[in-house]
């Protein structure tokens, strides 16, 4: 197969969560274990960091990878979903896996793929682990796909586990309460392996503490040890001071991911770095400073409060649940503009009403739908939005919605594009 035929095979022949939702998920790790066994268990041949959480795990993964890369480590990074190119999922020192490796991997593993009938995600996880092992990375940052306990990535034994936060998302799969979701995320906590929890939340902290006790895992809540102050925009960067105990640990730390919600993620990242240093990793402060101000350049991260154009200002963000959209709205409120235009599309299995209930009522809406089976039809989204007094027009696709917003907006207006990772992917 050509590279394009290989991708077509992966997308169309294998159950894919992006396309069909929960029916693509397998309820155990059997397929991943079988595929990796056939590959001589590559996941055991490199060190790793495992990252889970409802929101922020992508940004946290990319920041940690950037820091480790600048510290001189050959650093693998596995994330999902991709926005523009399948190969975004698998990188080493920011460089995407080659097309030839993807093509050869699928060709060489056709027999085991036919035997095990894995999902799209299970194949990509095995592919990433095989690539990192063959390329002899020093460390790989592995982002959980969904949940943790039964996620395909959960066959690794990492040096450190990291859980960013817990909020309601994928409730049809992970549970309807925060403790139920926390239980699934806590599944990445391994015996004798330290874990960093980004945010201490009263509803979930005991779930993590009990799991850590059960696994004899040292647990650290980042919020307990670190304090962020003096958060400010110093264009084009987000600047802050981070205190450790009573002392100033990092002054004027500058980040090129400028969404104010990164203030939570950066505390998780710094705590994780401190823990890695305790474990023997050599990560000088110079590497921390010089990497965090160019995370996007070092890792290729996109879609986090990303400016697409100016006059009018067009910004996109992949936030797609109530907690994520709450942070987006805070960023919108911190932005100067005359009129707000929102290009929005969503997928069917999200908390749609929860998101619509908190969106600003004084914006002009452009309802659209991303090009995938799980997409909520734009007409249905507009009808649901009307119940929350959100008004606008319906468009057949994301591109036409954005074009209409650009036509209508004046130079001093703000156009926000989001509601779904897949809306942002199409714009990019």
């Amino acid at each position: 197969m050509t590279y394009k035929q290989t991708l077509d095979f992966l997308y169309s022949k294998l159950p894919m969560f992006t396309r069909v939702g929960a029916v693509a998920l397998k309820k155990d790790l059997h397929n991943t274990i079988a595929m990796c066994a056939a590959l001589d268990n590559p996941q055991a041949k490199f060190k790793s960091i495992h990252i889970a959480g409802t929101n922020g795990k992508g940004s946290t993964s990319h920041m940690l990878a950037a820091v480790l890369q600048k510290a001189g480590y050959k650093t693998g990074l596995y994330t999902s979903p991709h926005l523009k190119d399948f190969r975004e999922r698998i990188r080493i020192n920011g460089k995407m896996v080659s097309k030839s490796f993807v093509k050869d991997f699928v060709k060489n593993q056709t027999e085991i793929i036919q035997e095990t009938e894995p999902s799209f995600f299970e194949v990509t996880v095995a592919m990433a682990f095989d690539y990192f092992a063959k390329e002899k990375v020093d460390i790989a940052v592995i982002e959980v796909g969904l949940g943790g306990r039964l996620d395909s990535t959960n066959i690794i034994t990492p040096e450190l586990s990291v859980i960013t936060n817990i909020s309601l998302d994928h409730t049809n799969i992970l549970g309807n309460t925060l403790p139920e979701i926390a239980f699934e995320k806590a599944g990445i906590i391994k015996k004798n392996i330290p874990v960093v929890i980004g945010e201490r939340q009263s509803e979930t902290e005991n779930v993590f503490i009990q799991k850590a006790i059960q696994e004899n895992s040292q647990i650290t809540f980042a919020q307990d040890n670190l304090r962020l102050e003096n958060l400010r925009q110093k264009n084009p960067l987000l600047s802050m001071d981070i205190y450790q105990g009573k002392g100033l640990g990092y002054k004027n730390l500058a980040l090129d991911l400028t969404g104010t919600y990164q203030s939570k993620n950066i505390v998780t990242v710094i705590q994780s770095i401190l823990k890695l240093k305790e474990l023997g990793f050599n990560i000088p402060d110079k590497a921390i400073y010089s990497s965090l101000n160019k995370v996007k350049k070092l890792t290729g991260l996109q879609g986090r409060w990303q400016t697409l154009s100016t006059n009018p200002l067009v910004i996109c963000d992949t936030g797609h649940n109530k907690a994520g959209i709450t942070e987006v709205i805070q960023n919108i409120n911190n932005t100067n503009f005359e009129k707000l235009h929102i290009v929005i599309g969503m997928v069917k299995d999200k908390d749609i009403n929860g998101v619509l209930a908190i969106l600003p009522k004084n914006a002009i809406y452009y309802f659209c739908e991303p090009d995938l089976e799980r997409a909520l039809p734009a007409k249905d989204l507009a009808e649901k939005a009307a119940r929350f007094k959100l008004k606008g027009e319906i468009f057949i696709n994301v591109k036409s919605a954005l074009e209409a917003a650009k036509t209508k907006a004046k130079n001093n207006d703000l156009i926000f594009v989001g509601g779904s990772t897949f809306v942002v992917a199409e714009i990019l």
Side-chain angles (χ1 to χ4, degrees):
M1 292 188 290
T2 64
Y3 174 70
K4 183 180 183 305
Q5 288 170 330
T6 301
L7 285 190
D8 288 343
F9 168 76
L10 290 174
Y11 291 151
S12 62
K13 301 299 183 186
L14 303 180
M16 187 178 182
F17 180 78
T18 295
R19 192 178 72 246
V20 298
V23 294
L25 297 176
K26 306 300 173 72
K27 289 185 166 58
D28 58 50
L29 300 176
H30 174 80
N31 285 351
T32 309
I33 292 168
M35 282 204 71
C36 286
L39 294 164
D40 194 26
N41 290 313
Q43 75 280 5
K45 297 177 182 177
F46 56 87
K47 293 181 178 179
S48 60
I49 301 166
H50 206 186
I51 302 184
T54 304
N55 293 303
K57 61 183 182 292
S59 295
T60 299
S61 296
H62 283 80
M63 283 191 266
L64 274 174
V67 171
L68 288 162
Q69 183 178 329
K70 269 293 183 178
Y73 293 95
K74 186 175 184 180
T75 306
L77 176 62
Y78 177 76
T79 58
S80 62
H82 64 272
L83 292 176
K84 296 172 70 175
D85 188 324
F86 167 81
R87 297 178 301 137
E88 293 168 28
R89 294 168 178 258
I90 305 170
R91 298 178 185 263
I92 295 177
N93 284 358
K95 186 178 179 182
M96 293 187 292
V97 61
S98 68
K99 291 180 179 180
S100 60
F101 185 89
V102 174
K103 188 175 67 170
D104 292 344
F105 178 88
V106 174
K107 177 185 174 183
N108 295 335
Q109 303 311 317
T110 297
E111 187 175 331
I112 187 72
I113 289 172
Q114 289 174 339
E115 282 179 17
T116 59
E117 298 182 342
S119 70
F120 171 88
F121 190 77
E122 288 168 332
V123 171
T124 58
V125 166
M127 184 189 299
F129 292 172
D130 191 47
Y131 185 60
F132 295 153
K134 282 185 166 66
E135 292 295 318
K136 296 181 169 57
V137 298
D138 297 316
I139 185 84
V141 179
I142 308 295
E143 180 196 9
V144 164
L146 184 66
R149 183 174 64 95
L150 298 177
D151 188 78
S152 300
T153 62
N154 203 29
I155 65 168
I156 59 174
T157 301
E159 306 299 301
L160 176 69
S161 303
V162 180
I163 301 172
T164 57
N165 58 43
I166 303 297
S167 60
L168 294 174
D169 198 10
H170 300 294
T171 52
N172 60 322
I173 300 164
L174 301 179
N176 293 307
T177 68
L178 294 182
E180 285 175 336
I181 294 171
F183 173 79
E184 294 299 328
K185 310 281 185 186
I188 72 164
I189 299 175
K190 302 290 197 310
K191 191 165 290 296
N192 301 320
I193 303 298
V195 59
V196 168
I197 311 295
E199 296 179 49
R200 183 186 280 275
Q201 298 164 274
S202 58
E203 302 99 318
T204 62
E205 61 182 359
N206 199 49
V207 175
F208 296 129
I209 291 168
Q210 291 305 314
K211 178 66 173 175
I213 290 170
Q214 179 186 328
E215 300 295 344
N216 193 35
S217 169
Q218 183 190 38
I219 186 169
T220 305
F221 288 88
Q223 276 187 337
D224 293 354
N225 290 347
L226 302 176
R227 187 175 79 258
L228 186 146
E229 291 189 3
N230 202 17
L231 184 71
R232 59 221 181 262
Q233 291 282 352
K234 294 178 69 175
N235 287 335
L237 302 172
L238 187 68
S239 184
M240 65 213 73
D241 302 329
I242 294 182
Y243 286 80
Q244 186 177 0
K246 293 182 179 179
L248 179 57
Y250 297 90
K251 184 176 177 61
N252 293 328
L253 194 63
L255 184 61
D256 68 340
L257 307 178
T258 56
T260 54
Y261 53 79
Q262 299 294 357
S263 61
K264 297 178 180 179
N265 296 330
I266 192 64
V267 170
T268 306
V269 168
I270 295 298
Q271 183 62 65
S272 299
I273 291 167
L274 294 174
K275 186 58 62 177
L276 289 170
K277 290 170 83 168
E278 284 180 24
L279 295 171
F281 284 81
N282 181 21
I283 306 173
D285 286 354
K286 182 180 178 182
I288 298 171
Y289 278 91
S290 64
S291 59
L292 291 177
N293 63 18
K294 46 176 158 308
V295 174
K296 291 185 283 190
K297 181 179 179 181
L298 289 170
T299 67
L301 179 63
Q302 296 189 82
R304 273 61 172 188
W305 197 248
Q306 180 176 344
T307 298
L308 300 176
S309 60
T310 55
N311 300 319
L313 180 60
V314 181
I315 293 177
C316 69
D317 193 278
T318 55
H320 55 266
N321 52 39
K322 187 176 178 180
I325 295 296
T326 297
E327 299 289 351
V328 163
I329 291 169
Q330 184 177 332
N331 279 279
I332 289 174
N333 292 338
N334 290 336
T335 304
N336 292 321
F337 57 85
E338 287 187 5
K339 190 69 182 175
L340 176 61
H341 305 256
I342 296 182
V343 176
I344 185 169
M346 299 187 73
V347 292
K348 296 172 184 174
D349 51 7
K350 293 294 178 183
D351 177 17
I352 294 161
N353 288 336
V355 169
L356 294 174
I358 61 173
L359 288 173
K361 293 176 172 49
N362 59 347
I364 301 170
Y365 286 85
Y366 304 77
F367 301 106
C368 58
E369 58 194 81
D371 183 22
L372 74 159
E373 291 176 42
R374 284 169 60 213
L376 179 70
K379 181 175 177 291
D380 294 354
L381 179 59
E383 288 174 358
K384 290 177 182 291
R387 298 174 201 154
F388 295 93
K389 297 182 169 56
L390 307 179
K391 299 174 182 177
E393 296 180 56
I394 298 168
F395 296 86
I396 58 170
N397 56 43
V398 176
K399 184 180 178 182
S400 61
L402 178 57
E403 288 304 318
K406 285 181 175 179
T407 300
K408 198 164 190 176
K410 296 178 180 176
N411 278 354
N412 293 328
D413 290 354
L414 168 63
I415 300 173
F416 174 75
V417 184
S420 167
T421 300
F422 308 108
V423 169
V424 173
E426 288 187 35
I427 290 301
L428 292 174

